[in-house]
Structures are given as C-alpha cells and as structure tokens.
DNA sequence: ACAAAAGTGTTTTAACTACACCCATGG
DNA sequence: CCATGGGTGTAGTTAAAACACTTTTGT
C-alpha cells in the first residue's frame, strides 16, 4: 500500500485507491424477545489503518471483473456468503474517509435468506451483529450502514424486496414479519394479506406449512423479476401512481 | 486465496482509472411543436479514444475534492454550468466500457432551470441535444443517459424534484408542464392543481404572472428541502404508504 | 363579446383502515 | 373444548379520476 503522504500536493497527484464493500442484511431472531430483527456480518481488520476494528467486508478493486462481480467474489472470500440479491448502494468518496490515502469506496448491499446466512464461515474475525447495536466501526462504515438501513426501509415501501429475506416458499405471515422487523411497526394481518394477494408477483402454491400448533398456513412463492448478477443495475419496479 | 497474478494480463495489475461524468437535464421548447421537452448538453471529445464523438461532460478524479465537488467543478470548466441540483446517479464499472484502459465512472445527474441553462458556454464542442434524439455517443454514454432518463421519470412519481427545473417562483401550470414533458403524458389540470396545493412544500405567494393573454395565474414557491452541495447523498423523501 | 387558460365543485370509483367474525389444527 | 394464529367479510374513510362549471384576463 501507499505510505502516509508527506504533503498535500503529493497526495493529490496519486490516483485515489478504489475499493468495493458490501452491507449484508439478514433477519435473525433477537436473543431476548425472539422477534425477527436485522443483522449484518462484519469482519475484523487485520491490517492498518483501523487494525482490529470491525468493518464491512470488502477489498480493493484489482481484478478483471465487473464491480458487482468484485463485490460477490470478495464476499465469498471473506465471509463465505453468496447472496442472491446484490445491488449497488452508493459510491462514497469524501476526502477524509481514510487517514493517509484518498479512498473511494463503491458500496453494494445484499439481502440473504436464512439458509444462505447459515453458510457464513464465522470465526474470531467474522461475526454477525444486530444492525441496531453496532460497535464503532472502521472508517465511515457506521454512516454507510445507516444509509443502507435508510435505503432498505425506503425500498420496502414501494419495491418487491422483502422476499429476498425469505426462502423459496414462505407464508404470508413470514412476509409480514419481514416488514414488521424492517419498518419496526405492527401491521394488520388481515389487510396485509389482502394487499399481498393483490400483487401479481406472489403466487399461491397448493402446499401448507405443517407442524405448527394451529391451522397450517398456505405457502407462497415469489415469481416476480429476480435481480441477477451482471444484469447491470436494477432499481425499484415502478408500480405507483401518486404523482406529486 | 488470491489468484497468482503473474499470468494475468498486465491490464489487471494497473489500478482502474476513475472518472466523474454528469448527465445534465433541462427543459427547452421543442423547435417543432414548441412544447417543452428534455435536453442535455454534450461535449465533443478532443482526444482518443472516441475522438470527435459527443460525450457526457466529465473528467478524471485527480483533485483534492469530494466526488460531488469534482462533478461540479468539471461541469463548470467544460460547459460553464453550475447546477443547483446535483446528485449521484450510479457507478459504472463494466469491463469493456473503454478500449485499452479499465475505466470506472461515477456518474452524477443534474437538473438546471432555464436561467441557469442560458449560461452555457456553447461552442463548436459544446452543444445542447434533445434527450430523445441523441447521436451515437462515446463509450457507453447512450446507456448511461437512458438509465438517467429512467431514474428521472421514476423519481418524478414520488419525489419533490420537478421544481428544480423551474425558477424561484412559478405557476402551477408550469409545474404541470414539467411533469407532462418528463413523463410524456397529459395530466388533468384541475386534479393536478389540487394535488400540488395539498403538498406542504409548495406555498402560494401573493404575486401573479402578468402579461399573458388570459387570466393571470398565481405564482408559487418551493419551500421544501433543497439538496445542497456537500451534504452527502440525498434521496427521495419518504412520503408514501402503499406497503407491499 | 370572445377565446383561453385559471380556478372551483361534484360525482364516481378505487383503495386503505379498522375490526368483527369464522376456520382448522395441536394440545 | 380451548387457545392460537390462519383466513374472510364488511362498513367507514380517504384519495384520486373524470368532467362540468365559473372566473378573469387580453384582444
């Protein structure tokens, strides 16, 4: 890496170094209440700067691959995760993000479902944290997570995104649980169910979830457009009218 | 873990070069019909690659400034424009965007009002084009403009963004004209007016626009939050409910 | 007076909210 | 048979769409 720059002019001449990082979200039951809450995996830094602090998984962009591929590869290498939902979040390029070297980070965000999250290679240096109880992270990563959370909640309101937290088939109550966890508010089960049934992307199967101590709920599948790797950038699907 | 880079091409070893570009939108009357349509300024490339082709204004990120400042400075230098609305659009990093050198572009988009657009220093190498009648641009800039257009229309539907095309005070019919130009569809004047009057960000003045050959319309002002340079990233203001 | 756009009112239709109620299963 | 969550029905409220109508200016 580059050493600390001796003066300003020298620093401005060097090209900024370019890194890719990813915010990964998953839902896990809270230890205390058991209700679903947002969690994300962090990795401990094993070099300077910020050695020993927790940080978003990421690394330099130095391979022959697209930005999205770089995010996916790095994620797999550092955490063992291979999220099916991965999208660009924002490019952070403030001047004082990193002491010493000018650093531009292109940040992605991912949603993983429980079966994917289980594959995390946890260790001394890789751990899941509750999104609302993060320690002080390296660089400006706390700000980045806050922004990702804001975007997640925002997207929840008009995008078909909640299903990426769930497996292939799910009950409508599970979808509601996702909404309630992310938006942090209660929703009317009856009305929520009607709204979901009205969206064409949710199709009912003829299977039912057995083994619960009440009436077995029907299972559904998400059959809408799924973001694919390398498909360029995808964003909220237009489905609104409210104009101004 | 990392692949042996000895047998990888030399290109992968060089850090990708980092550039900032901007898509600037303004409304201008169409020459034929006189109705407002979307236009954007382009600059002709004066070096290889793509020498002589039209391209988005931009340049390398090689100064001590934030990404947003870099976009603003470059815009001013190349076109003379200083947009009051400037926001990050997307980071494009595909492998084959530029022949020869790996290139990552962080693209901003801007909206300018007529008084700002007049300050453009047009020349042989700087010209405004209708957004729906662009020539073949350098690099992947046609794709980038298409994406910016898609985002603009999308944002129009739930963000307070239309006012940035207009001056400090405006009539409700002018706002409607913006919507009709961007969304390319007719809107009911009566209902549109009611909706605008219902949004708290639009406040009525006690002035009227004189000199038209009909009843003088009242002037309004946008008093909502205006995006500022250097305020980090700003995005659509949450104002919806429709949940799934 | 007339054209033309500003601005208002009214009816219809669709969507969301709140809440009462029935259904199916495990214990 | 009862507790629990799945699932349905329905009345009340709110917002948007469609369109007829009145108002105020310039010519």
């Amino acid at each position: 890496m580059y050493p600390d720059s001796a003066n300003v002019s020298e620093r401005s001449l060097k090209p900024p170094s370019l890194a890719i990082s990813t915010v990964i979200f998953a839902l896990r039951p809270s230890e205390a209440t058991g209700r679903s809450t947002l969690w994300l995996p962090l990795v401990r830094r094993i070099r300077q700067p910020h050695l020993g602090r927790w940080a978003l998984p990421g690394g330099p962009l130095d391979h022959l691959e697209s930005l999205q591929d770089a995010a996916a590869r790095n994620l797999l290498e550092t955490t063992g995760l291979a999220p099916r939902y991965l999208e660009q979040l924002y490019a952070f390029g403030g001047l004082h993000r990193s002491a010493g070297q000018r650093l531009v980070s292109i940040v992605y965000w991912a949603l993983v479902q429980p079966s994917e999250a289980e594959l995390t290679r946890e260790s001394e240096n890789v751990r899941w944290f509750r999104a609302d109880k993060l320690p002080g992270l390296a660089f400006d990563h706390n700000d980045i997570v806050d922004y990702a959370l804001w975007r997640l909640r925002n997207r929840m309101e008009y995008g078909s995104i909640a299903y990426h937290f769930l497996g292939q088939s799910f009950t409508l109550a599970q979808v509601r649980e996702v909404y309630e966890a992310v938006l942090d508010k209660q929703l009317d089960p009856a009305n929520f169910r009607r709204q979901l049934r009205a969206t064409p992307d949710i199709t009912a199967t003829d299977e039912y979830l057995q083994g619960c101590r009440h009436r077995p709920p029907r299972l559904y599948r998400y059959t809408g457009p799924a973001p694919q790797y390398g498909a360029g950038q995808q964003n909220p699907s237009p489905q609104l009218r409210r104009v101004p």
Side-chain angles (χ1 to χ4, degrees), chain A:
Chain A
M1 277 297 167
Y2 295 90
D4 281 351
S5 48
N7 57 43
V8 167
S9 63
E10 184 191 355
R11 185 181 178 188
S12 70
L13 294 178
K14 279 186 217 154
S17 63
L18 188 53
I20 307 281
S21 298
T22 306
V23 184
I24 305 115
F25 288 121
L27 286 181
R28 295 190 157 193
S30 145
E31 328 86 322
T33 69
R35 302 211 329 149
S36 282
T37 46
L38 279 171
W39 293 66
L40 52 88
L42 298 173
V43 301
R44 205 195 297 269
R45 284 190 60 82
I46 54 175
R47 64 182 67 176
Q48 291 291 357
H50 298 288
L51 189 145
R53 306 195 82 158
W54 294 98
L56 296 171
L61 179 73
D62 52 5
H63 286 61
L64 262 184
E65 59 198 352
S66 71
L67 302 178
Q68 183 131 342
D69 290 345
R73 178 186 52 76
N74 202 292
L75 224 48
L76 189 62
E77 288 175 2
T78 53
T79 65
L81 288 165
R84 304 198 328 147
Y85 183 91
L86 183 63
E87 191 184 350
Q88 195 180 111
L89 176 68
Y90 199 79
F92 295 84
L95 285 177
H96 307 103
R97 302 185 58 240
S98 169
Q101 162 89 27
R102 172 79 192 270
L103 176 66
V104 173
S105 290
I106 298 178
V107 179
Y108 278 74
W109 62 316
L111 306 185
V112 297
Q113 43 200 60
S115 64
E116 294 177 301
E118 281 172 18
L119 302 177
T120 315
R121 294 201 318 267
E122 290 202 71
S123 68
E124 181 71 18
N125 294 326
V126 176
R127 239 183 68 197
W128 285 83
F129 291 80
R130 273 190 62 160
D132 55 353
K133 289 179 182 173
L134 293 183
L137 305 185
F139 305 105
D140 54 353
H141 287 190
N142 285 99
D143 296 333
I144 294 178
V145 171
D146 287 345
Y147 178 63
L149 272 170
W150 178 81
R151 270 274 288 267
L152 173 63
R153 297 195 170 109
N154 213 290
R155 182 69 64 88
M156 234 28 197
E157 312 217 351
Y158 47 84
S160 320
I161 201 180
Y163 322 107
H164 301 289
F165 278 117
L166 300 170
Q168 192 178 27
S169 62
F170 44 81
T171 69
L172 297 188
Q174 287 172 326
V175 183
R176 181 164 48 87
E177 207 177 341
V178 173
Y179 273 86
E180 291 182 339
V182 173
L183 300 180
D184 195 29
K185 66 177 174 188
Q186 303 270 107
L187 297 170
D188 183 311
N191 296 330
F192 188 84
R193 133 177 281 274
R194 255 188 296 263
Q195 289 191 72
L196 278 199
R197 299 225 50 163
T199 70
D201 290 349
I202 306 288
T203 48
T205 72
D206 50 358
E207 296 169 303
Y208 294 81
L209 182 62
Q210 303 290 345
C212 32
R213 59 182 155 289
H214 53 75
R215 175 173 174 177
R218 186 186 283 270
L219 290 171
Y220 293 79
R221 281 187 153 77
Y222 175 68
T223 51
Q228 295 295 329
Y229 285 134
Q233 64 282 4
Q234 50 275 120
N235 261 30
S237 36
Q239 66 173 101
L240 293 217
R241 53 262 111 93
R242 201 194 219 229
V243 175

